[in-house]
Amino acid sequence: MTAQCPQPDHFDPLNRLDIFLLRQSIFLSPQELNVLYWAKEGRNNREIADQLGTAICTVKKHKNNLIAKLGVEGKAGLQQFLFHAAQNIPTIL
């Protein structure tokens, strides 16, 4: 019996995002990384909360933590970071 490679799924781009951040010495919790990923995908707070099975206030708290950890200024800075990340994350590492 041979081992099979796992098929790519939505976590493949999530792993690429994590590696992109780690290369910049930005360390996020798994929850923060998930919120950042879904925000990068264009989801609003309610959609992210539904996707992660959590409350909207929890998503907002994670976004505030992201703003602090990423060193950006407010929601606009977070959006600029997400735009930059989307343009610079390689499709294959």
Side-chain angles (χ1 to χ4, degrees):
M1 189 171 198
T2 60
Q4 293 188 355
C5 294
Q7 295 299 314
D9 59 11
H10 82 276
F11 288 108
D12 187 49
L14 185 60
N15 288 333
R16 288 196 308 267
L17 177 60
D18 192 26
I19 291 168
F20 172 78
L21 294 168
L22 290 174
R23 286 180 177 164
Q24 298 177 55
S25 298
I26 300 171
F27 304 97
L28 303 179
S29 72
Q31 297 85 356
E32 292 165 342
L33 183 61
N34 274 303
V35 168
L36 187 64
Y37 172 77
W38 289 113
K40 185 180 78 59
E41 293 296 308
R43 304 285 173 89
N44 64 36
N45 289 349
R46 179 174 301 282
E47 292 169 330
I48 294 170
D50 290 345
Q51 181 71 35
L52 301 178
T54 189
I56 294 174
C57 63
T58 303
V59 171
K60 290 179 182 178
K61 178 65 175 166
H62 287 312
K63 281 189 174 181
N64 286 332
N65 291 343
L66 288 167
I67 288 167
K69 286 184 176 184
L70 297 173
V72 296
E73 298 230 4
K75 294 176 186 177
L78 182 59
Q79 289 302 316
Q80 287 177 328
F81 179 88
L82 292 171
F83 179 77
H84 172 75
Q87 301 300 313
N88 291 294
I89 297 172
T91 55
I92 299 175
L93 294 172

